[in-house]
Amino acid sequence: MESFLFILVLGLLGLCFGSFVNAAVWRIKNKKDLVNDRSECTDCHHKLAWYDLIPVVSWVLLRGKCRYCGHAISIQYPLVELALAIVFIISYLAWPYELQAFADWSLFGLWLAASILLAILFVYDMRWFLLPDKVMYPLIVLGGAMAIVKALNSDQPAFALLDAAVAVTILSGLYLVLFLVSKGKWVGFGDVKLGLFLGLALGESRLALFCLFLANILGCLLVVPGLLTGRIKRHSKVPFGPFLILGFLISLLWGGDVLDWYLSLSFSAYM
């Protein structure tokens, strides 16, 4: 019963923070204050009341239209709210570490905070092909905190920090090389900074490699069919941040189990 209530609370928090993600994306784009500015209709700019901002429910009751001007409200809003609620719940159900001591819960809390910022980056990069520094720098700080908590919780803190450094080199270093060689044509510097967070948060070189592999596979699954059908041109901009974020999420929650399973299969094949 306690577990069910905790999952319910996580889901409700995810919905509320998903609403914040939508507001943050719009405010960052329009250079508004993230904390003090009130939410408004993006078309008529009428300030929204609290009952216009109930996650998912308001969009459904308003039938996807602004109460004041009738302009259509993007389905992005309820989808992002639901997506973050699902991420919060799945993170708890699939969390790969113990949740007993204070340090364990601290790591989980840091991840939930990071997932909110990642959601902002995901939506922003999808819409405008940019990973804003206003979100990126706090995210890197959270990644550093996650790496430190993991190291302090490890039997070999020095090795854990070294492995985190290798993970950063794999994810951020590779994109830094690509950025420098292509002079920013192949990847943006935002991907380099995102890789820094991902390496710190994963904290393991093997998970970093898995994340890199998944991100590129996911990217190919979108780009190759798009090129073949003509929906994506050779010189079209394709945001890579969302693929890195999805690859990271899978690697964080299930990467260890998948790699252990794969290695056990490989070992059995040679026996």
Side-chain angles (χ1 to χ4, degrees):
M1 185 64 180
E2 289 181 2
S3 181
F4 172 77
L5 289 175
F6 187 70
I7 290 170
L8 180 62
V9 170
L10 278 178
L12 292 174
L13 284 174
L15 288 172
C16 293
F17 280 114
S19 181
F20 168 75
V21 167
N22 284 317
V25 167
W26 186 84
R27 290 175 191 176
I28 292 171
K29 178 62 177 176
N30 291 276
K31 296 179 172 56
K32 300 281 188 179
D33 189 282
L34 280 175
V35 177
N36 296 319
D37 278 313
R38 286 182 57 191
S39 295
E40 59 185 65
C41 172
T42 58
D43 191 61
C44 69
H45 300 289
H46 191 287
K47 301 297 182 185
L48 302 180
W50 67 268
Y51 43 79
D52 299 317
L53 299 170
I54 303 172
V56 180
V57 174
S58 291
W59 189 89
V60 172
L61 292 178
L62 292 171
R63 298 180 181 178
K65 295 181 180 180
C66 173
R67 182 190 304 275
Y68 308 99
C69 69
H71 186 264
I73 303 171
S74 172
I75 197 168
Q76 166 200 312
Y77 292 89
L79 288 181
V80 169
E81 291 162 356
L82 287 170
L84 197 59
I86 291 170
V87 168
F88 271 35
I89 292 171
I90 290 178
S91 295
Y92 174 68
L93 295 176
W95 192 241
Y97 308 104
E98 296 287 340
L99 282 174
Q100 296 178 350
F102 175 76
D104 303 326
W105 285 102
S106 297
L107 184 61
F108 184 68
L110 288 169
W111 155 240
L112 292 184
S115 70
I116 298 167
L117 300 184
L118 285 172
I120 296 173
L121 293 179
F122 188 102
V123 177
Y124 204 98
D125 201 22
M126 285 287 290
R127 295 192 62 178
W128 297 295
F129 310 104
L130 185 68
L131 298 167
D133 288 341
K134 183 175 285 190
V135 179
M136 190 62 69
Y137 290 138
L139 188 62
I140 292 172
V141 172
L142 287 175
M146 290 178 71
I148 291 170
V149 171
K150 282 186 181 181
L152 294 176
N153 241 8
S154 170
D155 295 332
Q156 298 177 300
F159 177 80
L161 289 174
L162 178 61
D163 203 21
V166 175
V168 167
T169 302
I170 291 169
L171 283 166
S172 186
L174 173 63
Y175 290 111
L176 178 60
V177 171
L178 292 174
F179 175 81
L180 294 174
V181 169
S182 69
K183 297 181 180 178
K185 293 180 181 178
W186 297 343
V187 296
F189 198 65
D191 295 320
V192 179
K193 288 177 280 191
L194 179 58
L196 175 56
F197 161 77
L198 301 180
L200 288 169
L202 288 173
E204 297 181 38
S205 52
R206 65 172 193 154
L207 293 181
L209 286 169
F210 188 58
C211 174
L212 188 63
F213 170 77
L214 283 177
N216 284 280
I217 290 295
L218 291 170
C220 287
L221 289 175
L222 172 72
V223 173
V224 173
L227 288 171
L228 293 175
T229 58
R231 289 185 294 107
I232 298 176
K233 306 300 181 183
R234 283 187 61 192
H235 300 291
S236 297
K237 282 188 174 182
V238 178
F240 196 64
F243 300 121
L244 280 170
I245 292 169
L246 287 174
F248 165 76
L249 177 63
I250 296 169
S251 300
L252 177 69
L253 298 180
W254 298 286
D257 290 337
V258 171
L259 290 172
D260 289 341
W261 169 78
Y262 176 76
L263 289 173
S264 67
L265 283 183
S266 300
F267 181 75
S268 298
Y270 286 101
M271 291 297 289

